[in-house]
Amino acid sequence: MTSLLRRLERPIVAAPMAGGPSTPELVAAVNDAGGLGFLAGGYLTANALADRIVETRALTAAGFGVNLFVPADLDRDRDLGSVQEYADRLRFSARRLGAKLGRVDWHDRDHFEDKVTLLLDDPVAVVSFTFGIPPQAVIDALHECGTEVVVTVTDPDEALAAARAGADALCIQGAAAGGHRSTHDATAIPNEDSWTELLRRCRSIAALPLIVCGGIMTRAQVEFAIRSGAAAVQCGTAFLLTDEAGTSTTARAGLSDRTLTRSAVTRAFSGRPARGVRNEFIEQFDEFAPPVYPVVDQITKPVRAAAAADGNYQWVSLWAGTGWESARTGPAAAVVESLHPTRLVHPQPLREGTGADLD
Ligand SMILES: Cc1cc2nc3c(=O)[nH]c(=O)nc-3n(C[C@H](O)[C@H](O)[C@H](O)COP(=O)(O)O)c2cc1C
């Protein structure tokens, strides 16, 4: 990553966004605009990911990234009761939408091993990991293939562990971020630290390139990040409504509804904390959701799919960061352009408390 980050014309990474928004077209558009595009491998089978890699290569000659979720072992005996209780609450509402709850698979590992095998057989430039640090053998094998490894972290302890495991760069995710928090312990309550705070605390721990993210929507924020010592910024929400994003019509409508005015971090949809625009589903179920990822995700999936097919954005996950109201429509290249620093910014020591208003 170090070398790839150095080669970037513009220090802007398009965040991997699983569940639809990340497309080969978005990756290519961001690459062509001088940034770094990412495919989201989460929720996909290895074959589906292989197809997307092929499609992306046909659209861009530049290197790109692939993101994977690191699976955790589930404790069925401990969690079955709370999952059943949650399912009972959801069932009645699901029926109203004509949906059944999804089947539970306690052995779901998100095809992690198959996807790693794919990425070793047919390497890409960068692989980033979310929800944890992959096994050491995976990091070593990727390095042997010439692939650079990024680990997403949400606090200094995770940063230290990722650096010790041999990550080439860290993606520091602040609390304003859209989508899932990457807390390595799925049951932990995520902190509320902004990327500015985390950057300040992680810089002394890891002498690695640091990518920062969470609520970054403006050029001023990007300039501040680079001045503060970040190697690049990673933006998700800023690209959600672009032409090339695969964001569903229902999600686009929800994200554009100005009567929805707040975002929230909730386990209601998946069992892991994730930030999205606050809608009826969050209002009704947030307080009851058990911290059992991805089992809660499996249960709610058909409900979300039925709501999406109906154009009902009150019942789908509207994942987005705190800055979603300023997400732009139009080409992704225009978003890269709008974020890119117009003047040369030099890294400076980060003073405590600075820039919090920008985060
Ligand atoms: C719709 C959506 C889906 C996301 N999916 C992923 C994912 O698959 N993998 C991942 O590492 N991060 C994912 N994220 C989080 C981003 O990597 C990043 O942390 C976040 O977008 C940064 O905050 P921002 O959305 O305010 O820019 C997702 C974010 C959004 C908004």
Side-chain angles (χ1 to χ4, degrees), residues 301-336:
K301 194 173 174 187
V303 182
R304 290 179 278 131
D310 262 6
N312 176 1
Y313 51 76
Q314 294 292 350
W315 283 72
V316 300
S317 46
L318 296 173
W319 298 144
T322 54
W324 91 95
E325 283 163 309
S326 52
R328 296 163 52 135
T329 54
V335 171
V336 174

PDB file of all heavy atoms in Angstrom, residues 301-336:
ATOM      1  N   LYS A 301     -32.448 -10.116   6.295  1.00  0.00           N
ATOM      2  CA  LYS A 301     -32.177  -9.941   4.856  1.00  0.00           C
ATOM      3  C   LYS A 301     -33.449  -9.990   3.980  1.00  0.00           C
ATOM      4  O   LYS A 301     -33.674  -9.071   3.178  1.00  0.00           O
ATOM      5  CB  LYS A 301     -31.166 -10.990   4.398  1.00  0.00           C
ATOM      6  CG  LYS A 301     -30.569 -10.704   3.061  1.00  0.00           C
ATOM      7  CD  LYS A 301     -29.465 -11.692   2.764  1.00  0.00           C
ATOM      8  CE  LYS A 301     -28.982 -11.447   1.336  1.00  0.00           C
ATOM      9  NZ  LYS A 301     -28.036 -12.436   0.909  1.00  0.00           N
ATOM     10  N   PRO A 302     -34.301 -11.020   4.100  1.00  0.00           N
ATOM     11  CA  PRO A 302     -35.492 -11.038   3.241  1.00  0.00           C
ATOM     12  C   PRO A 302     -36.444  -9.878   3.538  1.00  0.00           C
ATOM     13  O   PRO A 302     -37.150  -9.410   2.642  1.00  0.00           O
ATOM     14  CB  PRO A 302     -36.165 -12.374   3.582  1.00  0.00           C
ATOM     15  CG  PRO A 302     -35.167 -13.165   4.330  1.00  0.00           C
ATOM     16  CD  PRO A 302     -34.206 -12.213   4.957  1.00  0.00           C
ATOM     17  N   VAL A 303     -36.459  -9.418   4.783  1.00  0.00           N
ATOM     18  CA  VAL A 303     -37.326  -8.292   5.140  1.00  0.00           C
ATOM     19  C   VAL A 303     -36.836  -7.033   4.413  1.00  0.00           C
ATOM     20  O   VAL A 303     -37.616  -6.293   3.798  1.00  0.00           O
ATOM     21  CB  VAL A 303     -37.304  -8.056   6.673  1.00  0.00           C
ATOM     22  CG1 VAL A 303     -38.239  -6.918   7.058  1.00  0.00           C
ATOM     23  CG2 VAL A 303     -37.646  -9.334   7.414  1.00  0.00           C
ATOM     24  N   ARG A 304     -35.521  -6.842   4.456  1.00  0.00           N
ATOM     25  CA  ARG A 304     -34.947  -5.675   3.777  1.00  0.00           C
ATOM     26  C   ARG A 304     -35.154  -5.764   2.268  1.00  0.00           C
ATOM     27  O   ARG A 304     -35.460  -4.774   1.604  1.00  0.00           O
ATOM     28  CB  ARG A 304     -33.452  -5.572   4.099  1.00  0.00           C
ATOM     29  CG  ARG A 304     -33.193  -5.171   5.548  1.00  0.00           C
ATOM     30  CD  ARG A 304     -31.715  -5.108   5.848  1.00  0.00           C
ATOM     31  NE  ARG A 304     -31.136  -6.406   6.137  1.00  0.00           N
ATOM     32  CZ  ARG A 304     -30.033  -6.887   5.594  1.00  0.00           C
ATOM     33  NH1 ARG A 304     -29.364  -6.168   4.716  1.00  0.00           N
ATOM     34  NH2 ARG A 304     -29.561  -8.076   5.922  1.00  0.00           N
ATOM     35  N   ALA A 305     -35.018  -6.994   1.747  1.00  0.00           N
ATOM     36  CA  ALA A 305     -35.178  -7.166   0.294  1.00  0.00           C
ATOM     37  C   ALA A 305     -36.617  -6.865  -0.123  1.00  0.00           C
ATOM     38  O   ALA A 305     -36.846  -6.202  -1.145  1.00  0.00           O
ATOM     39  CB  ALA A 305     -34.784  -8.588  -0.106  1.00  0.00           C
ATOM     40  N   ALA A 306     -37.581  -7.330   0.691  1.00  0.00           N
ATOM     41  CA  ALA A 306     -38.991  -7.085   0.351  1.00  0.00           C
ATOM     42  C   ALA A 306     -39.279  -5.588   0.400  1.00  0.00           C
ATOM     43  O   ALA A 306     -39.960  -5.027  -0.477  1.00  0.00           O
ATOM     44  CB  ALA A 306     -39.900  -7.839   1.319  1.00  0.00           C
ATOM     45  N   ALA A 307     -38.766  -4.920   1.416  1.00  0.00           N
ATOM     46  CA  ALA A 307     -38.988  -3.468   1.539  1.00  0.00           C
ATOM     47  C   ALA A 307     -38.345  -2.734   0.366  1.00  0.00           C
ATOM     48  O   ALA A 307     -38.948  -1.819  -0.214  1.00  0.00           O
ATOM     49  CB  ALA A 307     -38.417  -2.969   2.869  1.00  0.00           C
ATOM     50  N   ALA A 308     -37.138  -3.157  -0.005  1.00  0.00           N
ATOM     51  CA  ALA A 308     -36.441  -2.488  -1.113  1.00  0.00           C
ATOM     52  C   ALA A 308     -37.226  -2.653  -2.404  1.00  0.00           C
ATOM     53  O   ALA A 308     -37.379  -1.697  -3.181  1.00  0.00           O
ATOM     54  CB  ALA A 308     -35.028  -3.053  -1.271  1.00  0.00           C
ATOM     55  N   ALA A 309     -37.767  -3.850  -2.612  1.00  0.00           N
ATOM     56  CA  ALA A 309     -38.533  -4.097  -3.845  1.00  0.00           C
ATOM     57  C   ALA A 309     -39.794  -3.237  -3.888  1.00  0.00           C
ATOM     58  O   ALA A 309     -40.270  -2.861  -4.958  1.00  0.00           O
ATOM     59  CB  ALA A 309     -38.889  -5.575  -3.943  1.00  0.00           C
ATOM     60  N   ASP A 310     -40.304  -2.899  -2.719  1.00  0.00           N
ATOM     61  CA  ASP A 310     -41.509  -2.063  -2.604  1.00  0.00           C
ATOM     62  C   ASP A 310     -41.204  -0.565  -2.622  1.00  0.00           C
ATOM     63  O   ASP A 310     -42.114   0.249  -2.486  1.00  0.00           O
ATOM     64  CB  ASP A 310     -42.148  -2.312  -1.224  1.00  0.00           C
ATOM     65  CG  ASP A 310     -43.275  -3.299  -1.312  1.00  0.00           C
ATOM     66  OD1 ASP A 310     -43.469  -3.843  -2.400  1.00  0.00           O
ATOM     67  OD2 ASP A 310     -43.938  -3.500  -0.270  1.00  0.00           O
ATOM     68  N   GLY A 311     -39.949  -0.221  -2.644  1.00  0.00           N
ATOM     69  CA  GLY A 311     -39.567   1.193  -2.569  1.00  0.00           C
ATOM     70  C   GLY A 311     -39.748   1.767  -1.171  1.00  0.00           C
ATOM     71  O   GLY A 311     -39.811   2.976  -0.980  1.00  0.00           O
ATOM     72  N   ASN A 312     -39.806   0.861  -0.183  1.00  0.00           N
ATOM     73  CA  ASN A 312     -40.061   1.291   1.197  1.00  0.00           C
ATOM     74  C   ASN A 312     -38.739   1.500   1.954  1.00  0.00           C
ATOM     75  O   ASN A 312     -38.173   0.564   2.504  1.00  0.00           O
ATOM     76  CB  ASN A 312     -40.909   0.221   1.887  1.00  0.00           C
ATOM     77  CG  ASN A 312     -41.148   0.527   3.352  1.00  0.00           C
ATOM     78  OD1 ASN A 312     -40.693   1.561   3.866  1.00  0.00           O
ATOM     79  ND2 ASN A 312     -41.850  -0.366   4.018  1.00  0.00           N
ATOM     80  N   TYR A 313     -38.269   2.742   1.982  1.00  0.00           N
ATOM     81  CA  TYR A 313     -36.950   2.978   2.585  1.00  0.00           C
ATOM     82  C   TYR A 313     -36.990   3.119   4.106  1.00  0.00           C
ATOM     83  O   TYR A 313     -35.980   3.343   4.744  1.00  0.00           O
ATOM     84  CB  TYR A 313     -36.225   4.164   1.939  1.00  0.00           C
ATOM     85  CG  TYR A 313     -37.002   5.444   1.833  1.00  0.00           C
ATOM     86  CD1 TYR A 313     -37.210   6.251   2.936  1.00  0.00           C
ATOM     87  CD2 TYR A 313     -37.486   5.848   0.602  1.00  0.00           C
ATOM     88  CE1 TYR A 313     -37.905   7.435   2.826  1.00  0.00           C
ATOM     89  CE2 TYR A 313     -38.185   7.044   0.477  1.00  0.00           C
ATOM     90  CZ  TYR A 313     -38.394   7.823   1.589  1.00  0.00           C
ATOM     91  OH  TYR A 313     -39.079   9.001   1.478  1.00  0.00           O
ATOM     92  N   GLN A 314     -38.191   2.977   4.671  1.00  0.00           N
ATOM     93  CA  GLN A 314     -38.264   2.972   6.143  1.00  0.00           C
ATOM     94  C   GLN A 314     -37.807   1.630   6.707  1.00  0.00           C
ATOM     95  O   GLN A 314     -37.557   1.504   7.898  1.00  0.00           O
ATOM     96  CB  GLN A 314     -39.707   3.236   6.591  1.00  0.00           C
ATOM     97  CG  GLN A 314     -40.220   4.617   6.250  1.00  0.00           C
ATOM     98  CD  GLN A 314     -39.529   5.723   7.045  1.00  0.00           C
ATOM     99  OE1 GLN A 314     -38.775   5.473   7.991  1.00  0.00           O
ATOM    100  NE2 GLN A 314     -39.764   6.962   6.647  1.00  0.00           N
ATOM    101  N   TRP A 315     -37.709   0.597   5.848  1.00  0.00           N
ATOM    102  CA  TRP A 315     -37.400  -0.741   6.333  1.00  0.00           C
ATOM    103  C   TRP A 315     -36.140  -1.330   5.711  1.00  0.00           C
ATOM    104  O   TRP A 315     -35.916  -2.536   5.755  1.00  0.00           O
ATOM    105  CB  TRP A 315     -38.609  -1.662   6.078  1.00  0.00           C
ATOM    106  CG  TRP A 315     -39.655  -1.369   7.094  1.00  0.00           C
ATOM    107  CD1 TRP A 315     -40.442  -0.264   7.162  1.00  0.00           C
ATOM    108  CD2 TRP A 315     -39.972  -2.154   8.234  1.00  0.00           C
ATOM    109  NE1 TRP A 315     -41.245  -0.310   8.263  1.00  0.00           N
ATOM    110  CE2 TRP A 315     -40.983  -1.474   8.938  1.00  0.00           C
ATOM    111  CE3 TRP A 315     -39.510  -3.389   8.720  1.00  0.00           C
ATOM    112  CZ2 TRP A 315     -41.528  -1.965  10.116  1.00  0.00           C
ATOM    113  CZ3 TRP A 315     -40.066  -3.892   9.881  1.00  0.00           C
ATOM    114  CH2 TRP A 315     -41.061  -3.181  10.562  1.00  0.00           C
ATOM    115  N   VAL A 316     -35.325  -0.498   5.091  1.00  0.00           N
ATOM    116  CA  VAL A 316     -34.034  -0.985   4.589  1.00  0.00           C
ATOM    117  C   VAL A 316     -32.925  -0.268   5.357  1.00  0.00           C
ATOM    118  O   VAL A 316     -33.163   0.769   5.979  1.00  0.00           O
ATOM    119  CB  VAL A 316     -33.862  -0.735   3.065  1.00  0.00           C
ATOM    120  CG1 VAL A 316     -34.951  -1.435   2.267  1.00  0.00           C
ATOM    121  CG2 VAL A 316     -33.839   0.751   2.741  1.00  0.00           C
ATOM    122  N   SER A 317     -31.729  -0.833   5.301  1.00  0.00           N
ATOM    123  CA  SER A 317     -30.592  -0.169   5.960  1.00  0.00           C
ATOM    124  C   SER A 317     -30.091   0.940   5.036  1.00  0.00           C
ATOM    125  O   SER A 317     -29.618   0.666   3.936  1.00  0.00           O
ATOM    126  CB  SER A 317     -29.478  -1.175   6.226  1.00  0.00           C
ATOM    127  OG  SER A 317     -29.255  -1.971   5.074  1.00  0.00           O
ATOM    128  N   LEU A 318     -30.227   2.172   5.504  1.00  0.00           N
ATOM    129  CA  LEU A 318     -29.759   3.322   4.709  1.00  0.00           C
ATOM    130  C   LEU A 318     -28.365   3.699   5.210  1.00  0.00           C
ATOM    131  O   LEU A 318     -28.161   4.777   5.782  1.00  0.00           O
ATOM    132  CB  LEU A 318     -30.722   4.499   4.868  1.00  0.00           C
ATOM    133  CG  LEU A 318     -32.148   4.302   4.350  1.00  0.00           C
ATOM    134  CD1 LEU A 318     -33.042   5.489   4.744  1.00  0.00           C
ATOM    135  CD2 LEU A 318     -32.152   4.119   2.834  1.00  0.00           C
ATOM    136  N   TRP A 319     -27.409   2.785   5.021  1.00  0.00           N
ATOM    137  CA  TRP A 319     -26.062   3.037   5.561  1.00  0.00           C
ATOM    138  C   TRP A 319     -25.499   4.333   5.000  1.00  0.00           C
ATOM    139  O   TRP A 319     -25.451   4.532   3.787  1.00  0.00           O
ATOM    140  CB  TRP A 319     -25.104   1.903   5.223  1.00  0.00           C
ATOM    141  CG  TRP A 319     -25.419   0.550   5.764  1.00  0.00           C
ATOM    142  CD1 TRP A 319     -25.204  -0.634   5.130  1.00  0.00           C
ATOM    143  CD2 TRP A 319     -25.961   0.210   7.063  1.00  0.00           C
ATOM    144  NE1 TRP A 319     -25.596  -1.679   5.943  1.00  0.00           N
ATOM    145  CE2 TRP A 319     -26.062  -1.188   7.119  1.00  0.00           C
ATOM    146  CE3 TRP A 319     -26.397   0.960   8.154  1.00  0.00           C
ATOM    147  CZ2 TRP A 319     -26.562  -1.856   8.230  1.00  0.00           C
ATOM    148  CZ3 TRP A 319     -26.908   0.300   9.259  1.00  0.00           C
ATOM    149  CH2 TRP A 319     -26.973  -1.084   9.290  1.00  0.00           C
ATOM    150  N   ALA A 320     -25.050   5.195   5.880  1.00  0.00           N
ATOM    151  CA  ALA A 320     -24.440   6.461   5.454  1.00  0.00           C
ATOM    152  C   ALA A 320     -23.775   7.116   6.650  1.00  0.00           C
ATOM    153  O   ALA A 320     -24.181   6.909   7.800  1.00  0.00           O
ATOM    154  CB  ALA A 320     -25.505   7.400   4.887  1.00  0.00           C
ATOM    155  N   GLY A 321     -22.750   7.916   6.360  1.00  0.00           N
ATOM    156  CA  GLY A 321     -22.060   8.658   7.407  1.00  0.00           C
ATOM    157  C   GLY A 321     -22.816   9.931   7.756  1.00  0.00           C
ATOM    158  O   GLY A 321     -23.811  10.288   7.100  1.00  0.00           O
ATOM    159  N   THR A 322     -22.306  10.624   8.766  1.00  0.00           N
ATOM    160  CA  THR A 322     -23.021  11.802   9.272  1.00  0.00           C
ATOM    161  C   THR A 322     -23.175  12.907   8.213  1.00  0.00           C
ATOM    162  O   THR A 322     -24.034  13.766   8.342  1.00  0.00           O
ATOM    163  CB  THR A 322     -22.301  12.399  10.495  1.00  0.00           C
ATOM    164  OG1 THR A 322     -20.940  12.643  10.116  1.00  0.00           O
ATOM    165  CG2 THR A 322     -22.344  11.471  11.696  1.00  0.00           C
ATOM    166  N   GLY A 323     -22.342  12.844   7.176  1.00  0.00           N
ATOM    167  CA  GLY A 323     -22.412  13.914   6.167  1.00  0.00           C
ATOM    168  C   GLY A 323     -23.327  13.610   4.993  1.00  0.00           C
ATOM    169  O   GLY A 323     -23.261  14.282   3.963  1.00  0.00           O
ATOM    170  N   TRP A 324     -24.230  12.627   5.156  1.00  0.00           N
ATOM    171  CA  TRP A 324     -24.974  12.150   3.975  1.00  0.00           C
ATOM    172  C   TRP A 324     -25.794  13.217   3.288  1.00  0.00           C
ATOM    173  O   TRP A 324     -26.011  13.165   2.082  1.00  0.00           O
ATOM    174  CB  TRP A 324     -25.844  10.945   4.364  1.00  0.00           C
ATOM    175  CG  TRP A 324     -27.244  11.285   4.801  1.00  0.00           C
ATOM    176  CD1 TRP A 324     -28.362  11.295   4.011  1.00  0.00           C
ATOM    177  CD2 TRP A 324     -27.682  11.671   6.110  1.00  0.00           C
ATOM    178  NE1 TRP A 324     -29.465  11.649   4.755  1.00  0.00           N
ATOM    179  CE2 TRP A 324     -29.081  11.894   6.049  1.00  0.00           C
ATOM    180  CE3 TRP A 324     -27.043  11.848   7.346  1.00  0.00           C
ATOM    181  CZ2 TRP A 324     -29.828  12.277   7.147  1.00  0.00           C
ATOM    182  CZ3 TRP A 324     -27.783  12.241   8.437  1.00  0.00           C
ATOM    183  CH2 TRP A 324     -29.148  12.446   8.334  1.00  0.00           C
ATOM    184  N   GLU A 325     -26.225  14.251   4.046  1.00  0.00           N
ATOM    185  CA  GLU A 325     -27.084  15.256   3.401  1.00  0.00           C
ATOM    186  C   GLU A 325     -26.339  16.062   2.335  1.00  0.00           C
ATOM    187  O   GLU A 325     -26.961  16.677   1.487  1.00  0.00           O
ATOM    188  CB  GLU A 325     -27.695  16.192   4.451  1.00  0.00           C
ATOM    189  CG  GLU A 325     -28.841  15.501   5.179  1.00  0.00           C
ATOM    190  CD  GLU A 325     -29.201  16.185   6.477  1.00  0.00           C
ATOM    191  OE1 GLU A 325     -28.280  16.421   7.288  1.00  0.00           O
ATOM    192  OE2 GLU A 325     -30.385  16.487   6.662  1.00  0.00           O
ATOM    193  N   SER A 326     -25.006  16.025   2.392  1.00  0.00           N
ATOM    194  CA  SER A 326     -24.283  16.764   1.348  1.00  0.00           C
ATOM    195  C   SER A 326     -23.715  15.848   0.266  1.00  0.00           C
ATOM    196  O   SER A 326     -22.882  16.277  -0.537  1.00  0.00           O
ATOM    197  CB  SER A 326     -23.192  17.646   1.968  1.00  0.00           C
ATOM    198  OG  SER A 326     -22.376  16.886   2.812  1.00  0.00           O
ATOM    199  N   ALA A 327     -24.165  14.574   0.220  1.00  0.00           N
ATOM    200  CA  ALA A 327     -23.708  13.681  -0.852  1.00  0.00           C
ATOM    201  C   ALA A 327     -24.215  14.199  -2.194  1.00  0.00           C
ATOM    202  O   ALA A 327     -25.373  14.596  -2.317  1.00  0.00           O
ATOM    203  CB  ALA A 327     -24.223  12.265  -0.604  1.00  0.00           C
ATOM    204  N   ARG A 328     -23.316  14.182  -3.193  1.00  0.00           N
ATOM    205  CA  ARG A 328     -23.662  14.752  -4.506  1.00  0.00           C
ATOM    206  C   ARG A 328     -24.079  13.677  -5.491  1.00  0.00           C
ATOM    207  O   ARG A 328     -23.560  12.564  -5.455  1.00  0.00           O
ATOM    208  CB  ARG A 328     -22.426  15.439  -5.108  1.00  0.00           C
ATOM    209  CG  ARG A 328     -21.910  16.609  -4.336  1.00  0.00           C
ATOM    210  CD  ARG A 328     -20.497  16.937  -4.753  1.00  0.00           C
ATOM    211  NE  ARG A 328     -20.368  17.092  -6.201  1.00  0.00           N
ATOM    212  CZ  ARG A 328     -19.702  18.071  -6.778  1.00  0.00           C
ATOM    213  NH1 ARG A 328     -19.113  18.997  -6.056  1.00  0.00           N
ATOM    214  NH2 ARG A 328     -19.606  18.142  -8.092  1.00  0.00           N
ATOM    215  N   THR A 329     -24.973  14.049  -6.383  1.00  0.00           N
ATOM    216  CA  THR A 329     -25.251  13.178  -7.522  1.00  0.00           C
ATOM    217  C   THR A 329     -24.287  13.566  -8.642  1.00  0.00           C
ATOM    218  O   THR A 329     -23.566  14.552  -8.518  1.00  0.00           O
ATOM    219  CB  THR A 329     -26.707  13.362  -7.995  1.00  0.00           C
ATOM    220  OG1 THR A 329     -26.921  14.745  -8.235  1.00  0.00           O
ATOM    221  CG2 THR A 329     -27.695  12.892  -6.926  1.00  0.00           C
ATOM    222  N   GLY A 330     -24.269  12.784  -9.731  1.00  0.00           N
ATOM    223  CA  GLY A 330     -23.387  13.102 -10.854  1.00  0.00           C
ATOM    224  C   GLY A 330     -22.232  12.127 -10.928  1.00  0.00           C
ATOM    225  O   GLY A 330     -22.194  11.124 -10.202  1.00  0.00           O
ATOM    226  N   PRO A 331     -21.264  12.388 -11.796  1.00  0.00           N
ATOM    227  CA  PRO A 331     -20.156  11.450 -11.981  1.00  0.00           C
ATOM    228  C   PRO A 331     -19.235  11.375 -10.765  1.00  0.00           C
ATOM    229  O   PRO A 331     -18.989  12.407 -10.114  1.00  0.00           O
ATOM    230  CB  PRO A 331     -19.389  12.008 -13.185  1.00  0.00           C
ATOM    231  CG  PRO A 331     -20.085  13.234 -13.627  1.00  0.00           C
ATOM    232  CD  PRO A 331     -21.194  13.555 -12.680  1.00  0.00           C
ATOM    233  N   ALA A 332     -18.707  10.183 -10.509  1.00  0.00           N
ATOM    234  CA  ALA A 332     -17.784  10.013  -9.379  1.00  0.00           C
ATOM    235  C   ALA A 332     -16.532  10.867  -9.561  1.00  0.00           C
ATOM    236  O   ALA A 332     -15.950  11.352  -8.585  1.00  0.00           O
ATOM    237  CB  ALA A 332     -17.414   8.531  -9.245  1.00  0.00           C
ATOM    238  N   ALA A 333     -16.124  11.069 -10.820  1.00  0.00           N
ATOM    239  CA  ALA A 333     -14.920  11.878 -11.073  1.00  0.00           C
ATOM    240  C   ALA A 333     -15.106  13.294 -10.527  1.00  0.00           C
ATOM    241  O   ALA A 333     -14.155  13.911 -10.028  1.00  0.00           O
ATOM    242  CB  ALA A 333     -14.622  11.928 -12.567  1.00  0.00           C
ATOM    243  N   ALA A 334     -16.332  13.796 -10.592  1.00  0.00           N
ATOM    244  CA  ALA A 334     -16.589  15.153 -10.086  1.00  0.00           C
ATOM    245  C   ALA A 334     -16.462  15.187  -8.565  1.00  0.00           C
ATOM    246  O   ALA A 334     -16.033  16.192  -7.981  1.00  0.00           O
ATOM    247  CB  ALA A 334     -17.975  15.622 -10.515  1.00  0.00           C
ATOM    248  N   VAL A 335     -16.805  14.070  -7.914  1.00  0.00           N
ATOM    249  CA  VAL A 335     -16.650  14.010  -6.454  1.00  0.00           C
ATOM    250  C   VAL A 335     -15.152  13.986  -6.099  1.00  0.00           C
ATOM    251  O   VAL A 335     -14.700  14.705  -5.199  1.00  0.00           O
ATOM    252  CB  VAL A 335     -17.380  12.774  -5.867  1.00  0.00           C
ATOM    253  CG1 VAL A 335     -17.046  12.582  -4.394  1.00  0.00           C
ATOM    254  CG2 VAL A 335     -18.885  12.914  -6.056  1.00  0.00           C
ATOM    255  N   VAL A 336     -14.381  13.185  -6.839  1.00  0.00           N
ATOM    256  CA  VAL A 336     -12.929  13.158  -6.579  1.00  0.00           C
ATOM    257  C   VAL A 336     -12.370  14.569  -6.757  1.00  0.00           C
ATOM    258  O   VAL A 336     -11.604  15.055  -5.919  1.00  0.00           O
ATOM    259  CB  VAL A 336     -12.217  12.158  -7.534  1.00  0.00           C
ATOM    260  CG1 VAL A 336     -10.706  12.233  -7.357  1.00  0.00           C
ATOM    261  CG2 VAL A 336     -12.716  10.735  -7.297  1.00  0.00           C
TER     262      VAL A 336
END
